[in-house]
Amino acid sequence: MSPAVQIALAVTLVVVLLLLLVLRRDRPRDLVVPDRPAGDGQVEVLRLARAGRTVEAVRVLRRQTGLPLLDAKRAVDALVAGGSWSPGGPVPGRGVDDAVRAEAARLLHRGRKIQAIKVVREHTHMSLADAKRYVEGL
């Protein structure tokens, strides 16, 4: 084999290796592809979280339930801490005290729906959508 062909093969090999390195650089190295969810989603999420794979547990939970990121993270944290989580997600209105409920109802019946939603959000930390559903349900 002539020296020119050997040089051409060596250059080609170097270029291919560099391309492979560049393509792999964008992939996360420390994450493992999550397993497919098993029959009981809560058990799968708990298994991942207890194995230290919190990001994957949140991802699986979001895929199974459609929860927003923050709610899924809170649910995973509750499971790891020994609590439980209901697949229905957070129930809008749970934890609203009677004074807030009465004030929101009063504002709603006076036609001040936006102010009622603001009152509920200020006192409960609900999302805008949850507070709106809660007020509309009064």
Side-chain angles (χ1 to χ4, degrees), residues 42 75 78-79 82-86:
Q42 185 170 337
L79 286 172
S84 65
W85 166 77
S86 121

Side-chain angles (χ1 to χ4, degrees), residues 34-49 57 60 64:
D35 300 329
R36 300 293 298 166
D40 185 6
Q42 185 170 337
V43 171
E44 178 67 11
V45 170
L46 184 59
R47 183 186 68 77
L48 288 169
V60 168
Q64 291 174 349

Side-chain angles (χ1 to χ4, degrees), residues 11-12 15-16 22 31-32 49 54 68 72 87-88 98 115 117 119-120 122:
V11 168
T12 304
V15 168
V16 169
V22 167
L31 297 179
V32 178
T54 306
D98 292 334
Q115 285 79 11
I117 293 169
V119 166
V120 170
E122 288 172 0

Side-chain angles (χ1 to χ4, degrees), residues 2-131:
S2 72
V5 173
Q6 289 178 347
I7 292 174
L9 286 175
V11 168
T12 304
L13 182 62
V14 169
V15 168
V16 169
L17 288 174
L18 287 174
L19 283 173
L20 287 174
L21 288 174
V22 167
L23 292 175
R24 290 201 55 161
R25 182 179 49 176
D26 294 333
R27 294 183 187 170
R29 293 185 178 101
D30 57 341
L31 297 179
V32 178
V33 177
D35 300 329
R36 300 293 298 166
D40 185 6
Q42 185 170 337
V43 171
E44 178 67 11
V45 170
L46 184 59
R47 183 186 68 77
L48 288 169
R50 286 192 175 156
R53 297 165 61 185
T54 306
V55 172
E56 294 159 343
V58 170
R59 187 178 300 137
V60 168
L61 183 60
R62 290 189 71 203
R63 190 177 317 129
Q64 291 174 349
T65 63
L67 283 172
L69 178 61
L70 184 58
D71 292 339
K73 174 70 168 95
R74 287 179 180 158
V76 167
D77 290 343
L79 286 172
V80 170
S84 65
W85 166 77
S86 121
V91 177
R94 182 178 291 167
V96 177
D97 66 0
D98 292 334
V100 174
R101 184 178 296 119
E103 178 64 15
R106 184 183 67 76
L107 288 167
L108 181 64
H109 294 302
R110 288 187 175 180
R112 301 179 73 194
K113 181 177 172 182
I114 294 173
Q115 285 79 11
I117 293 169
K118 284 181 181 180
V119 166
V120 170
R121 289 197 69 204
E122 288 172 0
H123 291 87
T124 64
H125 305 296
M126 281 187 197
S127 69
L128 178 59
D130 286 342

